[in-house]
Structure formats: C-alpha cells, structure tokens
Amino acid sequence: MFILTTISDLVQITPEDFQKPSAEAIEDNLNEKYANKVIQKIGLCMCVYDLLTASDGLIGHGTGIVNVNVEFRLIVFRPFKGEIILGKISGASEWGMKIRLDFFDDIHVPPTLMFPGSFFNVQEQCWVWNNEGTEYFYDKHEWVRIRVEQEHWHDQSPVAPSERESVAATERKSPFSITGSMMQAALGPTEWW
C-alpha cells in the first residue's frame, strides 16, 4: 500500500528558517511542497521519510535565500494491483460505490465488479446483494474490504485564468483514482464475513 520513492530536488530555505537545524528546515520545506500531492505515475505523497544527501547551501544574491540540492525518500500511497484494502463506503449511486480511506477518497467500485445479484436500492440509496433469496446491504459508512483492480492517472494541466470559466468543475478529474472489486469471498462489508 505504501512505497518509498527517491527524489532529487532544489530546496530554498528562507532567512526565517535559519534558526532551525538544517535538516529540520529542509524537511519542513519538502513536506510543505510534497505532502498530500499526487506525482504522476508515482502516487499520493504522504511525507518525507529521510534525507539521503544535501549539498552545501548557496546564498542567492540580494534575497538571502539559501539554495540546497537534496536527495530524499518519500512515503507514497500507491497500492498494487490485487492488493486488499480496508475502507469505508462513502456513497452509492446506480454507477457504483465510492470508498474512502482516512486520507484518500477516490476509490470507485462499479456494479460490474460487485457480487452477481447485486442491485441498487433507490429507496435506501444503497447497494444490495441478493444471495439465494437473502438480502445483504452495503450500508453507508460500513467497513469494507476491496481488491485493487486498476489505477487511473489524469494529468492536471494548468488552465489559463481566461479559460477557467469555460472548464466546468465536473470536467476536472482526480489526478489519481482507483477502481476496486468486491467479487470474491471475504470482500465486501466486514460484518458479512
């Protein structure tokens, strides 16, 4: 579910951070830049794990900002295909279920990847699995296990300010999303098993 990835970057330390130890100032700047951000084809960055190398700082002329080249490792959320994840149902519609973790909520389970006999109950606004006459409900906020089937990457190219109004908010997709499955034994709500 989590991986370590090595990245090199240039960190700019402002004079306000000079009272901190160097490593702490560098880590604070890196966490500010990368935490809770998606890097394409890598995953959702959580935080800095450790610093591997740091160059001597070079002071910028006239600004007082110190530029430091660093190599560091990040903890990144990127589950592998086939991995089982525990999350909560955050919503349901005829197009499937939305599952969320404490820190990530772009997981979708389409109807085709639920148990055969599953249907959407419009009155209850939830999915129901009909298993040989017995109905099992996928209730909102219920803990579920899902298997990762696919990951989706969408490039978030910047939009010019003059064009922002023409691009609807619904057209912008999440930079990283996951498609999950509940089609095998022990998957689905944990209370069933």
Side-chain angles (χ1 to χ4, degrees), residues 93-97 108-115 118 127 183:
S93 70
E94 57 269 10
W95 296 285
M97 279 187 275
H108 180 252
V109 179
T112 56
L113 294 176
M114 293 181 205
F115 287 114
S118 295
W127 279 87
M183 280 184 59

Side-chain angles (χ1 to χ4, degrees), residues 105-192:
D105 61 355
D106 288 317
I107 302 173
H108 180 252
V109 179
T112 56
L113 294 176
M114 293 181 205
F115 287 114
S118 295
F119 63 93
F120 184 66
N121 185 325
V122 178
Q123 259 186 328
E124 298 283 334
Q125 288 294 301
C126 71
W127 279 87
V128 180
W129 176 37
N130 187 348
N131 183 27
E132 299 175 1
T134 306
E135 291 188 343
Y136 298 94
F137 290 81
Y138 295 91
D139 292 322
K140 193 171 182 179
H141 305 296
E142 195 167 21
W143 287 100
V144 293
R145 284 189 191 91
I146 64 160
R147 185 178 68 219
V148 175
E149 295 296 332
Q150 214 172 10
E151 55 186 24
H152 305 280
W153 300 94
H154 301 102
D155 188 17
Q156 297 290 318
S157 300
V159 178
S162 60
E163 298 174 10
R164 285 192 184 143
E165 293 175 12
S166 65
V167 177
T170 56
E171 290 179 26
R172 295 202 44 95
K173 295 181 179 180
S174 171
F176 175 49
S177 60
I178 294 171
T179 298
S181 166
M182 293 187 199
M183 280 184 59
Q184 80 184 58
L187 297 182
T190 55
E191 292 181 4
W192 294 0

Side-chain angles (χ1 to χ4, degrees), residues 6 11 16 33-37 55 61 66 85 88-89 93 95 123 129 156 165:
T6 303
V11 174
E16 295 83 37
K33 183 175 183 177
Y34 288 99
N36 204 26
K37 305 281 189 318
S55 69
H61 180 66
V66 176
I85 296 178
K88 280 188 175 181
I89 298 173
S93 70
W95 296 285
Q123 259 186 328
W129 176 37
Q156 297 290 318
E165 293 175 12

Side-chain angles (χ1 to χ4, degrees), residues 43-101:
L44 174 66
C45 300
M46 304 304 288
C47 64
V48 172
Y49 180 72
D50 62 357
L51 291 175
L52 300 175
T53 60
S55 69
D56 291 335
L58 299 173
I59 300 172
H61 180 66
T63 62
I65 294 175
V66 176
N67 297 303
V68 181
N69 288 310
V70 295
E71 187 176 4
F72 58 98
R73 292 190 293 180
L74 282 172
I75 298 174
V76 176
F77 171 71
R78 185 175 182 183
F80 57 87
K81 187 175 179 182
E83 184 172 1
I84 306 298
I85 296 178
L86 185 67
K88 280 188 175 181
I89 298 173
S90 63
S93 70
E94 57 269 10
W95 296 285
M97 279 187 275
K98 293 286 284 181
I99 310 296
R100 75 177 320 255
L101 309 176

